[in-house]
Each structure stands twice: as structure tokens, then as C-alpha cells.
Amino acid sequence: MQFGKNKKKKQKIEHKKNNYKESLEKVASLDYRWVIPLSQKIRIKSVVISKFLSFVFAEIAITPISSAKTQYGRFSLIKGITKALFPQSDSLLTQIEKSIKALQENIGELSTEILTDTDVTQELLAPFIEMVCLTIEKNPQLIALFNQPQILKAAFGPLGERIAGIIEIIPALSSHAAERFPNLKETFFNALFQLKKEERKEIYILAEEILDSVYQEKVLPLLNKTLSTDTRGKVLAPILAGAIEAIPGESCINAILSIACTPHNEFSNGRVIAIAIQEMGGLYVKISQVISELCPPSLARELRTTQDEAGGIFPSIEKSWEFLIETLNQPQFIEWKAYLQIPQIPIKHFASASVGALYLFQLTPLGKEKFNVENILIKIQRPNLKEIFATQCEHILKLTDEANKLILTDNSINKDTASELLGIVSTLRRSVLNYHKQSQEELDFTKEEQNAEKVRNALDSLDFIKVPRYFLSSQNIVFMEKMPGIKVTKIVQAKYLERREIADSIASSYIDLVFTKGVVWADPHPGNILFDDITNQTSMIDLNPCFLWDLKTRQEFKHLIYRLLLRDAEGVYKTLHHLVEYPETLQSNAIVEDLSKFLNLSMGSTSLTRFVGEFIKTLSENQIDLKVQVQAALRGLSQIALTTSSISVRNNFGLILRNQFTLKELIGTVWDVGILRVSKVILSTLFEFTRQLPEFDIGPVLDERDLETLNSYVRDLAKANVCNIHFRRVSPEDHPNLKMSQDGQTLLITSDLYIEIVDKVRPATVRYVIETPTKKWLKERQEFVKLASIARSFCTIECLEQLRRNSLDDYWKIVESWSKYSYLRTIDETQLIGEVQIAARKLYSLRFANIWETSFSGLPLSSKIIWRFLMRVESWKESSKQSYLVSQKNKFGDVLLANMAYSSFFRMKTLLLEGLLWSLRGYINRLKFSMHLLPMPTEDLVNLILFGLSRNKKMSK
């Protein structure tokens, strides 16, 4: 028994050593030379940095302790810091830690004694920072280990331990720091303002240099990689990069502290990009909402929430606070000083909007008595907004012009794709111009109070939406009630399982407001919506712009939406007479033709935001302007669709919207448009939707033990020169090949196969790379890798290896086109790849049809039959697609896949098969407690997956 334990312990140690070795080898291959000049600058500024950090540590040490859990967490943090500053104190701290229960009351005093003398801390910390910087200058790859403290300790001994002690305080690098000290961001800002003005200036300059290098060297290359798998990246990547490069220097310290305080499990490339854009504020934040509709899930999710965390009045928190205090000292507001508890040091804004920022103030006893509330919000406008918006608009339009030129000069883009990308650029331009115009109308804050009163009167006694009371309003500042609840982007983190219900509640409230009460609110982005999860109450906190409709306008707007959805150009034309500014502009003969062309081209569009933008653009090209409130309603609907999607992709926005239209209206509209036309529209829309949505991997799952075993076997195959297979563990959020649902809740495909050409001289060397999610990512989300996905990848490799032995020319045609964008492949290339995938599917079906035969599975015979039938239907679908490709090739020749049109019959057949697959997968998913177990030993799994390749290995011997 003891022997078995010792063996297990030795294996564990050996496994850990191997992990360290692999990590260090990987780090050694990375190029981090760009860190050296930054390390030199940090070393030069070590005195001011150590002073800043000494204030941070002092505040942590004296923070009140609220619970035993917080107490222990803070003690662990203090221990890490003191070990970094006082290496000789390790034995004392260990002794204290062992006696923690007996010393709970004295820990706070001990940590205070160690750290509150900031002069001593600064004196000890400055040489420590210099030593770390010198080490990094000699070994710049060390920076890559900063989020792996256990490897730092193993690789760099005492120095690594001391560095790890400081790292434990940074949430972005530590898995526990955010839990131990959740208010660290405010602590950083408080410490910053304890420095002298000249010292803060030095920190600001250094922050700008650090942020600029990080974005240029790490963030933007990863952004390009993330967007490179989609043609839309040719538009989005340069625009986002241009916006990031324009970040003001004084915003950099805010961005760095926001990045540092982002919890480790929420940290992603998308979050870093979103932080930069939110610090820019204004039109950059507005346009990020439009761009988010076109991005991969992780980036899209972050961009949708930028308005929730936009910058303050100025990029500098200190400058913003000074401006607010100066405003409150003006004669017309001086009486309010008796009602407000005004802090002595600058505070960060409570929330922000494109035109200003909100600050939360506690009221004095006199204020509480007068207004009958505990606190209020003061919303203050940024100065010189007209000039700022004009400059931002000019810059974004310049970026779109550059993207436009890039598309026109890129010979790798075919005509149809170029046309689509130019349409995206045009939509972005139109959105910028619209937002610029709208922002000018929001500069008078008194209108916001008037709008709130209109909404309150329209709602009458109904309370499904709350609006704030206004205590005082002027053109550039308002004093308003703080509404209950928190922003929807925050609530969903705490109410993960209720996300869909929250999204539906918000969508229902907004749609009722528009169609039942005739109140049009044009800007329902996540930052403007509060949700109280206790009362399920929705509140709106920024009511500019807002309009009231009469019954006639509401009815005509309903008709417009129906006709647009049914792609009825004649019907759209008729409804426009009541909805445009100047009806006489509708006399042009070309408008119906242009509308018809636009509606036919957008037949497969699934983006409401893009569809609305293109529709408004088509009208403007014919000198037709929708009424301002109609544009606001269209934008509001598209924005609430984005908002609900950012909460949960499984929201019922479409169903809730449809409930506003009666059966009589639906039948009447369908009759007017024509049943054949309606059927064609529905068929095309559903086909495009299913074509873009990747299939769900279902059935049994593999855990880390299975993946590690498979990984060791594929290494053996590579050593034996059978074939080179490599497992690569990546984060699905930054690698869109591992498909995820739009809100990141569900992983749709858990592995992806692509082929790297190592040597092009035939018979050349290739590496088959199987990408799967990282162990950490899977653990945090309680996910597993699906057997179906991994097994099909191995079956595909086996079929490719057999093809290489039998037809080298076909094999190389497949290899060279495998990693191409699908729209750049010819039909012939797509057909060859499809034949391999069909062969792999058949091989998978043969090997895995009977995996549920084991008596331990506990499944009835009917479930086993359905499992086999599911695999048969999947094969039918791929064979059907392949047959259609062959017929199109015979008919039109070997054209690019992007130029191929799909017939109605093929669409119907595909939809029928998709419907059957959907029902089968749904049934199997309901058996998750049984079917998510792997019904076989790991050895049997390896034999099934590697059967053909292992056989080749034996033959090679």
C-alpha cells in the first residue's frame, strides 16, 4: 500500500517536472526583446513606482476585515507582499500561519506594523524593483512566466518566490487576488492621488509607454490573428487598430489599472481591446456597438459592454474631479454643497455616457430629509463636446476610408466578397454620421428631464419600467435619483443561470414601451439599463433622445417592419409615405427598384443592426430621409436586440416582437405580399441561419486523463515517423475555429483540425494540429472535450494518410487548400476536401456505432438505435452537400465556392435534414447524465481512435 502511494507521489513529481520543462521550453522560444527598453525605463523610475506601491500596500494592510474568509484571504496576500519585502520574515509568517486561529485578532495589527510605514516599504521596494528589472533585461522571457508563479519559484529560486509574492496582488495574473481584495482598483487610484503632482506625471508618461508597447507587440497581432479567419477582419482589424492607437496619453494609467484589476478568469484579448476603446469614449464607444455585431464571440461580447465602462469627463480621473468641483462651486449650484458629502480626495465616476459622466454622492442628514433619498447621481457634461465629436468623427471616417482603399486594392478578394465588405464600410460610415448627428442633439440636459416626464406620463400607473426623478437640471449638469438595481452587464455575472429570463424581461419591457405606449427610446445600450433581480424591475437611466408617437405612426411603423422582414419592396414603399420627412421625395421611379435590390441582397442577413443601417443608407442614396423618431425606433430595436444578445444568445427577442403583431395583421400582410414570396424569404433566411451555425458536438466526453493519454500516444507515432500529430491547447475565446455560442455560454465544437506544411519538397512533411480548449478554460467552465469531435479529427487524419499513400497529387491539393478561407476555395478543392470528410465520417460511424453496447452504460436499446441513426443522418447531410457540389461543377465548371448559388430544392432538403438532426440531438442531450459518461476504458478508447494509425506504425516496423 505504502509502495503504491510512493509510486504515485513520484509520478506526480515527475509529471510536474515535465510540465515545468515544457513551459520553460515554450517560453524560451518566445521573442520578448521588446520588454527590455520598458524594463530599463521602469528601473529608472523605481523610486516613484515604489512610493506608489507603498501607498497601495499600506491601504491593503489597514482595510477593515469583515469576515473570517476575508481575513484569511487578506493574510495570504499580506504574506506574499511581506515575503517579497522581507525574505527573512518567512519563518515568522509560517509560524503565524500555523497559529492563525489563535492570532486572528492580532493579524491586522501585525500587517499594519509591517506595511504602514510607507517610507520603509519604499526604501525596501525600490532596490527590489531594480533587481527584478535587471533580471528581466537579461532574461526578457521571464515576463511570460508572470502568470505562473509556481514555475517562477521552481525556475528562479528565492527571486522567483519574491516576484510571485508581488504577483499575488494582481487579479489579471493571479486566480485568487480578485477574491482576496475585490476593491483593489479603487485602492490603486487612491494611492495614485497620494503622490505629488510631478510624481503622478512621471507615472502617467511611463504608463503611456508601457501600454503603447503592449498593444503594438502583443494585443494588435493577436487581434489580427483572431479576425484573420473571417473576411470581415479586413475591415474590422484596421479600424479597431486605428482606434486603439488614438488612445490619449492621460488615459493610459486608467487603462493599465483597469487591465491589472480584471479578474484572471475574465481576462482576454477582447477585454484588453474593449478597455482601450472605453477610455476613448464618445463616438468610439458608439461605433464599437456596430462593430461588435461582426466580430467573433469573445471580442463581440466585450465591445458590446464598452458603453458600460466608458471614460469620465476627461481621461484623467483627477482632472475630471477638479472640473466637477469647480462646477459645483458656481453660484447657481452653491446651495447644494449643504446637501452633499463631498470627499476630500478625487473619486472615480460612478458611470458614464458618450456626452458625460455620473458621480454618486451620499447626502448629508439635511439632504436626506429634503429629498427623502440616501444618495443622488450628478451627471455632468464634458466641455467642448462639439469639437471633440467632430474630431472623433473625422478620425473614424478616415479609418473607414483607409479600409475602403484596402479592399479595392486587395486582389485576393473576389468581386462579391469585395462588394459585401464595401457595404460594411458604408454601414460603419453611415452609423458614425448618424451618431454624430444624434450626439449634437443630446447636448442639452434639460431635454432629458422633459423626456423622463413624458415617459412617466405615458406609463401612467404602470411600473414595468422605472425612470429617475430629477431634482435639478440645466444645460450641462443634472441632479437625479439613483435607481435601484445594477447594470445588466454586471447582473448577469451573478445570475448566470437566469440570463435568458433577464434578457427576455428587458426586451419585453422595451418593446411594450414602443408598441403599446408609443415611447421611442433610441439608446437602450447595456450601460443605460438597470435591472433589479429581486423585484425583476427594469430602469432606464439616460433618456436622450426620446420621442412620443401617436397611434397612426405606431401602426405604420408596424407595417414597415412586416414588409421589411418579408422583403416586400412595394409594401415598404407604400408605408414610407407617413414615415419620411418629405413625402414628395418618394416620387422617384428608382426607389422601388433600389429597395427591391437591397432586400434581395440582404435575403440571408441575420444581423438586425447591419440590416437597419443598410436600409437607411439605401433611402439616403435616393435623397429620402426617415423622420428622426423613425430612425430612432429602428436603431432602438436593433440596439435592444444587441443588448439582449449580450445578456444571453438564447433570448426570445424575435418571439416577443412577433407578439406585438396580431394574427389578422399577419394573414393580411402575407396575402398582400404573396404566399410564394413569403415562403421563399422564410426558406432563404432559415437556410442561411443553419449554414452559419456550427453543429453541436454531443454524446460522451473526454477528460484530461484521456487527452493526456492520447497526447502521449501521438508523440510515439511522431517518434516512429508514422505521422506528426500535435495537440495544441488554446482558449476558444481567442481562437474562433473552436466555435462558441454568441454569448460564450456553450462550446459548440471542442476540437479543430488544421494542417501545417513543414516542408514543401515532396513527399513533404506536414503536421496535423488538433486544437482543443486549455485545461484551465475547461475547468473554469466545467466543460469537457467531446469524443465525437476528437474522434472525427483522428479519422480525418487516417483518411488523409491513406490518400497520401495512394494519390499524392490529390493529397497535396487537399493539404494546400485545407487552411484556405472557404470562400477562396474552388468547387474542385471543396469537393476533394468533402470526400475526405465523408470518408472520415463513415470511418467514425463504423468504429463508434457500438460504443454503448457495454452493460455499464445503462441505456435502453432505443437510445442506442437513435445514436446510430444520428450518425447516419449526419452522413446523409454531408453526402447531399457533396452531390450538389458535383452537379454544380458539371454545370458551371470549377468556380470559386463564393460564387455558387443554392437552389430552393437543395435548401429544402438541407433544412429537413437539419430539422431531423436538431430533434435527434435534443433527445440525446436529454440523456446527458448517462451519455456524457465515457462507456469504455481509456485503453479501448485509444485502440478505437488510433487503430488505423497504430496499424501503420506496426507495418512500418
Side-chain angles (χ1 to χ4, degrees):
M1 189 77 175
Q2 187 64 38
F3 175 76
K5 285 183 179 179
N6 290 337
K7 185 179 179 183
K8 195 172 182 180
K9 188 176 180 181
K10 284 181 181 179
Q11 287 177 342
K12 190 175 181 181
I13 293 171
E14 193 64 32
H15 179 66
K16 190 179 282 189
K17 284 181 179 178
N18 289 335
N19 282 345
Y20 288 168
K21 185 180 178 183
E22 287 178 12
S23 298
L24 290 171
E25 286 174 354
K26 183 181 178 182
V27 166
S29 66
L30 299 174
D31 187 359
Y32 271 89
R33 284 173 293 182
W34 59 274
V35 172
I36 296 174
L38 286 180
S39 299
Q40 292 170 342
K41 289 173 182 175
I42 292 170
R43 178 162 51 85
I44 293 168
K45 302 292 181 184
S46 62
V47 174
V48 69
I49 293 172
S50 61
K51 186 174 183 179
F52 168 49
L53 290 177
S54 69
F55 289 132
V56 174
F57 296 159
E59 186 160 336
I60 289 174
I62 61 174
T63 301
I65 297 172
S66 58
S67 67
K69 183 178 178 182
T70 308
Q71 184 179 42
Y72 182 74
R74 196 177 64 130
F75 176 72
S76 300
L77 196 62
I78 293 293
K79 179 183 173 184
I81 297 169
T82 51
K83 278 181 69 175
L85 298 178
F86 308 94
Q88 68 277 11
S89 68
D90 190 33
S91 58
L92 172 66
L93 288 167
T94 304
Q95 183 182 355
I96 292 170
E97 190 173 20
K98 289 177 181 176
S99 309
I100 189 167
K101 290 184 180 178
L103 294 171
Q104 281 181 348
E105 294 179 1
N106 300 321
I107 290 175
E109 295 177 11
L110 176 68
S111 58
T112 301
E113 289 175 8
I114 294 175
L115 295 176
T116 50
D117 191 336
T118 53
D119 291 336
V120 174
T121 303
Q122 181 187 358
E123 189 177 336
L124 290 165
L125 195 55
F128 173 61
I129 292 172
E130 290 180 14
M131 177 178 62
V132 172
C133 288
L134 283 168
T135 306
I136 291 174
E137 286 169 36
K138 295 176 183 176
N139 307 280
Q141 290 90 343
L142 178 64
I143 199 79
L145 293 173
F146 268 25
N147 65 340
Q148 300 183 63
Q150 74 281 7
I151 300 180
L152 270 174
K153 293 175 185 178
F156 289 88
L159 176 62
E161 283 192 46
R162 294 183 69 188
I163 295 173
I166 295 291
I167 286 172
E168 287 181 8
I169 199 175
I170 309 296
L173 300 176
S174 166
S175 299
H176 307 291
E179 298 171 11
R180 290 171 175 172
F181 202 78
N183 299 319
L184 184 63
K185 193 172 179 181
E186 296 307 315
T187 301
F188 273 126
F189 282 118
N190 291 339
L192 188 65
F193 295 122
Q194 291 182 55
L195 298 174
K196 295 177 182 177
K197 197 165 187 176
E198 298 75 22
E199 293 170 332
R200 285 199 298 272
K201 190 174 180 181
E202 291 183 57
I203 295 284
Y204 295 157
I205 293 170
L206 183 60
E208 184 177 0
E209 292 171 341
I210 291 172
L211 198 64
D212 180 63
S213 296
V214 170
Y215 274 113
Q216 292 297 329
E217 297 291 337
K218 302 300 290 183
V219 177
L220 294 181
L222 193 52
L223 171 67
N224 289 325
K225 183 179 179 181
T226 301
L227 294 175
S228 65
T229 56
D230 194 317
T231 50
R232 292 172 294 188
K234 292 181 180 291
V235 173
L236 304 180
I239 289 177
L240 283 172
I244 289 170
E245 288 169 358
I247 184 171
E250 55 187 337
S251 293
C252 292
I253 187 64
N254 303 349
I256 282 183
L257 294 181
S258 295
I259 291 168
C261 294
T262 299
H264 193 59
N265 61 338
E266 297 175 18
F267 196 81
S268 66
N269 190 47
R271 176 62 61 90
V272 176
I273 291 168
I275 286 170
I277 292 176
Q278 71 196 21
E279 288 300 333
M280 308 265 310
L283 296 181
Y284 294 101
V285 172
K286 293 282 190 183
I287 202 64
S288 71
Q289 308 302 303
V290 181
I291 293 176
S292 68
E293 184 66 11
L294 308 169
C295 289
S298 63
L299 187 54
R301 189 169 57 255
E302 301 295 353
L303 291 179
R304 288 192 193 108
T305 61
T306 51
Q307 283 179 285
D308 182 35
E309 295 288 349
I313 304 169
F314 299 105
S316 164
I317 290 176
E318 184 177 16
K319 191 175 177 182
S320 299
W321 179 253
E322 289 173 356
F323 180 77
L324 173 63
I325 297 301
E326 285 175 12
T327 305
L328 292 177
N329 285 330
Q330 292 175 8
Q332 63 268 40
F333 307 119
I334 199 71
E335 65 175 290
W336 273 88
K337 295 190 78 173
Y339 304 138
L340 302 175
Q341 295 183 24
I342 301 176
Q344 295 301 309
I345 62 171
I347 60 171
K348 194 173 183 290
H349 55 275
F350 173 76
S352 58
S354 56
V355 295
L358 289 92
Y359 287 83
L360 178 65
F361 281 87
Q362 299 296 320
L363 293 181
T364 62
L366 183 63
K368 293 175 185 177
E369 182 181 349
K370 182 176 178 63
F371 300 108
N372 197 30
V373 291
E374 293 290 322
N375 46 51
I376 66 162
L377 289 173
I378 297 179
K379 181 178 179 180
I380 183 168
Q381 189 177 124
R382 297 182 180 94
N384 306 316
L385 271 183
K386 286 189 177 180
E387 294 81 0
I388 291 171
F389 283 152
T391 302
Q392 290 184 340
C393 182
E394 183 181 351
H395 182 241
I396 298 173
L397 290 176
K398 181 183 176 184
L399 294 176
T400 59
D401 285 340
E402 291 172 358
N404 203 78
K405 290 176 185 175
L406 188 67
I407 295 163
L408 293 173
T409 55
D410 192 337
N411 296 325
S412 67
I413 304 176
N414 64 54
K415 186 177 178 181
D416 289 342
T417 304
S419 177
E420 181 187 358
L421 295 180
L422 292 172
I424 292 173
V425 173
S426 179
T427 301
L428 290 172
R429 287 184 64 85
R430 175 58 55 184
S431 299
V432 172
L433 294 170
N434 283 341
Y435 282 134
H436 184 218
K437 182 181 177 182
Q438 175 186 313
S439 64
Q440 303 301 311
E441 298 165 359
E442 296 178 23
L443 298 184
D444 185 357
F445 281 3
T446 59
K447 291 181 179 178
E448 187 172 337
E449 182 179 5
Q450 295 167 13
N451 288 336
E453 197 58 36
K454 288 178 188 176
V455 174
R456 196 175 286 110
N457 292 336
L459 292 172
D460 196 15
S461 60
L462 299 176
D463 61 352
F464 59 87
I465 287 183
K466 290 283 188 184
V467 293
R469 290 181 293 151
Y470 287 75
F471 305 117
L472 174 69
S473 64
S474 65
Q475 186 169 0
N476 58 7
I477 189 171
V478 294
F479 295 72
M480 57 194 286
E481 178 186 11
K482 181 183 179 294
M483 303 306 294
I486 61 177
K487 294 172 186 175
V488 291
T489 48
K490 303 294 184 187
I491 192 72
V492 295
Q493 295 174 13
K495 299 287 180 179
Y496 190 79
L497 297 177
E498 292 86 7
R499 293 174 81 159
R500 184 168 66 179
E501 288 75 10
I502 293 172
D504 290 349
S505 175
I506 290 168
S508 179
S509 298
Y510 181 82
I511 289 170
D512 277 351
L513 190 71
V514 174
F515 290 101
T516 306
K517 294 299 180 180
V519 177
V520 177
W521 180 34
D523 201 18
H525 68 73
N528 282 343
I529 300 174
L530 303 181
F531 187 82
D532 188 344
D533 63 307
I534 298 174
T535 62
N536 289 333
Q537 180 72 59
T538 303
S539 301
M540 306 190 317
I541 61 172
D542 186 350
L543 297 167
N544 268 342
C546 205
F547 308 94
L548 286 180
W549 274 356
D550 56 29
L551 183 60
K552 173 70 173 172
T553 305
R554 267 182 273 163
Q555 290 174 338
E556 291 298 327
F557 184 71
K558 273 189 181 183
H559 292 316
L560 173 65
I561 290 181
Y562 252 141
R563 304 291 179 165
L564 284 171
L565 293 175
L566 295 174
R567 282 21 180 206
D568 176 21
E570 288 282 353
V572 170
Y573 175 74
K574 290 176 185 176
T575 59
L576 285 175
H577 282 82
H578 187 76
L579 302 176
V580 298
E581 294 283 2
Y582 307 104
E584 59 270 17
T585 58
L586 292 170
Q587 304 307 315
S588 167
N589 294 325
I591 180 60
V592 176
E593 185 179 337
D594 286 351
L595 281 172
S596 180
K597 183 179 177 182
F598 155 68
L599 292 171
N600 285 326
L601 286 173
S602 62
M603 192 76 80
S605 176
T606 57
S607 167
L608 183 59
T609 303
R610 197 164 147 202
F611 180 78
V612 166
E614 285 294 309
F615 172 60
I616 295 174
K617 177 177 79 79
T618 303
L619 294 180
S620 64
E621 288 172 350
N622 285 273
Q623 285 71 53
I624 298 169
D625 290 324
L626 289 170
K627 291 179 179 178
V628 174
Q629 59 264 43
V630 177
Q631 290 192 49
L634 286 171
R635 283 201 306 271
L637 283 175
S638 63
Q639 182 64 67
I640 204 69
L642 282 176
T643 297
T644 53
S645 290
S646 71
I647 299 170
S648 171
V649 76
R650 298 176 185 82
N651 68 81
N652 293 305
F653 174 81
L655 180 62
I656 295 168
L657 181 62
R658 191 181 70 193
N659 289 339
Q660 294 294 325
F661 302 90
T662 65
L663 182 61
K664 182 180 177 181
E665 287 174 315
L666 176 61
I667 294 172
T669 306
V670 170
W671 182 260
D672 287 344
V673 175
I675 295 174
L676 188 63
R677 168 93 181 164
V678 171
S679 301
K680 187 177 179 182
V681 169
I682 292 172
L683 180 68
S684 175
T685 303
L686 286 175
F687 177 75
E688 289 297 325
F689 178 75
T690 56
R691 199 160 69 98
Q692 293 172 14
L693 184 70
E695 67 185 44
F696 281 79
D697 285 327
I698 62 170
V701 296
L702 306 181
D703 59 22
E704 282 299 319
R705 175 203 59 184
D706 303 313
L707 293 177
E708 286 296 328
T709 304
L710 287 171
N711 198 17
S712 66
Y713 272 89
V714 297
R715 285 178 188 159
D716 291 341
L717 290 176
K719 289 176 183 176
N721 293 322
V722 175
C723 61
N724 189 356
I725 302 173
H726 176 64
F727 271 90
R728 183 173 294 164
R729 309 298 294 272
V730 298
S731 169
E733 292 184 336
D734 291 320
H735 289 76
N737 289 339
L738 295 174
K739 300 292 191 303
M740 294 173 63
S741 64
Q742 192 175 356
D743 67 348
Q745 282 185 292
T746 303
L747 195 60
L748 304 182
I749 294 179
T750 55
S751 80
D752 182 64
L753 171 67
Y754 70 94
I755 304 171
E756 290 180 354
I757 301 174
V758 180
D759 180 3
K760 288 191 175 182
V761 179
R762 299 184 188 180
T765 313
V766 301
R767 181 185 293 116
Y768 301 105
V769 179
I770 300 176
E771 283 189 343
T772 61
T774 62
K775 179 179 180 179
K776 177 187 170 193
W777 194 93
L778 292 168
K779 183 179 179 181
E780 286 174 350
R781 289 158 183 80
Q782 296 183 339
E783 287 269 10
F784 292 92
V785 174
K786 302 286 183 174
L787 168 66
S789 181
I790 289 282
R792 282 201 298 268
S793 293
F794 275 100
C795 288
T796 304
I797 293 170
E798 186 173 337
C799 290
L800 284 166
E801 282 296 290
Q802 292 300 329
L803 182 64
R804 181 168 65 88
R805 290 168 173 77
N806 292 285
S807 177
L808 197 58
D809 287 340
D810 284 344
Y811 172 78
W812 270 100
K813 189 176 283 188
I814 289 171
V815 165
E816 289 171 346
S817 59
W818 188 273
S819 299
K820 275 186 186 178
Y821 299 127
S822 58
Y823 66 89
L824 289 178
R825 293 180 193 148
T826 64
I827 290 182
D828 185 45
E829 291 171 335
T830 308
Q831 181 188 341
L832 280 170
I833 290 172
E835 286 173 0
V836 170
Q837 289 173 334
I838 288 173
R841 178 79 69 173
K842 289 179 179 176
L843 187 59
Y844 166 76
S845 298
L846 285 170
R847 288 189 180 162
F848 291 89
N850 298 317
I851 60 171
W852 300 110
E853 292 302 316
T854 171
S855 58
F856 295 105
S857 70
L859 290 178
L861 179 62
S862 59
S863 298
K864 299 171 186 176
I865 293 172
I866 287 175
W867 171 258
R868 295 192 194 101
F869 185 53
L870 169 68
M871 291 193 285
R872 180 67 62 87
V873 176
E874 287 174 336
S875 296
W876 284 346
K877 192 183 88 169
E878 289 198 4
S879 299
S880 171
K881 179 182 174 183
Q882 193 70 1
S883 299
Y884 188 73
L885 279 172
V886 172
S887 67
Q888 293 298 294
K889 180 183 175 184
N890 294 336
K891 189 174 181 180
F892 298 108
D894 189 20
V895 297
L896 284 177
L897 191 65
N899 297 327
M900 190 179 77
Y902 296 94
S903 69
S904 295
F905 177 74
F906 175 70
R907 286 173 173 170
M908 287 178 64
K909 188 165 66 170
T910 302
L911 287 173
L912 284 172
L913 289 172
E914 284 290 354
L916 185 55
L917 284 170
W918 178 80
S919 61
L920 290 171
R921 288 174 184 146
Y923 176 82
I924 291 175
N925 268 336
R926 287 193 289 273
L927 300 170
K928 59 183 179 181
F929 295 109
S930 297
M931 296 201 74
H932 276 199
L933 301 173
L934 187 63
M936 63 179 73
T938 305
E939 289 182 5
D940 292 348
L941 168 71
V942 170
N943 289 335
L944 276 177
I945 286 183
L946 298 176
F947 176 72
L949 293 169
S950 298
R951 182 184 56 191
N952 292 336
K953 176 183 175 182
K954 290 173 185 175
M955 288 172 62
S956 65
K957 287 182 179 179

